Amino acid sequence: ATAATATVTAGPKTVLAPNAVEHYEKEMLDKAMKASLSNIPQKAKPVIVVRPMKQQQDTREQEDQNNSDLDQFIEQRDMLYRKAMETRGSNMQGAASYYAAQARELNTHIKTTQKQSQMEMFLQANKDSPNTRLDLHYLQTSDAIKQLQQFISQKEAMARSGSSGSQLVDVITGKGNRSENGKSRLRPAVQNWLDQKSYSYTEVNSGCFRVRIKSQ
């Protein structure tokens, strides 16, 4: 007897072109990214509100609010960096690079926000101050030195023109109580600048220099 031969016909097989595979993988990666980032709370850019009364108290409250906002941005950035580390070597190509890029972008935003907030605090602190006083302690060292240079130059120009009534100005650096290790980095930087420029000054206290303006 002749054995019957059964022929099994396989169903149609879908074969994706290389570019289609790449597109599919990218689509799956994007979905995974959105799902993993969906739990990140989005914060609006801090709004600085300037109130005419209780200036020092309002400045302190605004500083605390800005610090809270920045802390949340920093927490988001650190989470993204952790995800970048965790996905290295995984099957999802590009995940680590994506998270790292997002973290770097957020880090840039943090630095910009810090600088803007510090400048707003600086302007508010000096808004109603006497014109012979400059409060620098909200600024980073490089920005503080720039503001000090402009302030001293302006006072010297006024002294040379005879329109300045005082040859002494107070430069506030702060004592560094809120700085790392409780030591001010701004105070020694300001003192070093004054020494380099050969300005005569005295220490009013550990957070303030009284500087004599050069009239010539």
Side-chain angles (χ1 to χ4, degrees):
T2 303
T5 303
T7 302
V8 179
T9 303
K13 184 178 181 180
T14 302
V15 179
L16 297 176
N19 59 341
V21 174
E22 182 180 350
H23 173 75
Y24 177 76
E25 290 180 348
K26 183 178 184 301
E27 187 177 69
M28 295 300 293
L29 176 61
D30 289 343
K31 288 181 180 179
M33 297 301 177
K34 289 178 181 178
S36 64
L37 295 175
S38 61
N39 62 340
I40 300 178
Q42 298 298 316
K43 292 289 295 181
K45 180 181 175 181
V47 177
I48 308 297
V49 179
V50 180
R51 298 181 178 89
M53 301 301 293
K54 300 183 300 181
Q55 180 178 337
Q56 185 173 1
Q57 180 181 351
D58 290 344
T59 301
R60 183 67 57 82
E61 290 176 356
Q62 189 61 57
E63 183 182 13
D64 292 341
Q65 179 61 48
N66 290 346
N67 288 338
S68 176
D69 292 331
L70 287 171
D71 286 343
Q72 292 197 34
F73 286 132
I74 291 170
E75 184 178 348
Q76 293 171 24
R77 178 203 61 190
D78 292 346
M79 185 194 71
L80 288 166
Y81 275 132
R82 287 195 298 270
K83 285 183 176 291
M85 294 296 294
E86 292 168 359
T87 52
R88 282 184 180 175
S90 66
N91 294 328
M92 296 182 65
Q93 285 187 334
S97 297
Y98 179 90
Y99 285 128
Q102 291 293 309
R104 288 192 297 270
E105 182 178 344
L106 191 53
N107 194 51
T108 299
H109 175 71
I110 288 170
K111 291 182 178 180
T112 300
T113 302
Q114 284 178 323
K115 187 175 281 279
Q116 290 175 341
S117 297
Q118 289 164 355
M119 184 55 66
E120 291 284 355
M121 305 282 284
F122 164 76
L123 293 174
Q124 184 173 336
N126 288 280
K127 183 173 181 288
D128 297 321
S129 295
N131 61 9
T132 56
R133 187 176 72 182
L134 181 67
D135 189 341
L136 296 172
H137 81 276
Y138 289 107
L139 298 178
Q140 294 181 5
T141 300
S142 59
D143 293 329
I145 295 300
K146 290 178 183 177
Q147 291 295 330
L148 176 60
Q149 288 175 320
Q150 294 176 8
F151 179 77
I152 294 293
S153 296
Q154 181 185 42
K155 296 305 176 186
E156 288 178 341
M158 294 175 64
R160 287 192 294 269
S161 67
S163 59
S164 176
S166 175
Q167 299 293 316
L168 298 174
V169 295
D170 289 340
V171 179
I172 300 173
T173 63
K175 300 178 181 179
N177 293 334
R178 287 170 290 175
S179 301
E180 186 177 356
N181 299 323
K183 295 182 179 180
S184 173
R185 289 183 295 178
L186 179 56
R187 184 180 182 279
V190 168
Q191 187 171 16
N192 184 58
W193 185 86
L194 292 172
D195 289 336
Q196 287 182 343
K197 301 299 181 180
S198 300
Y199 282 99
S200 175
Y201 62 89
T202 57
E203 295 186 35
V204 178
N205 53 52
S206 58
C208 179
F209 294 107
R210 181 158 293 164
V211 183
R212 182 169 295 278
I213 297 299
K214 299 176 182 178
S215 58
Q216 294 181 353

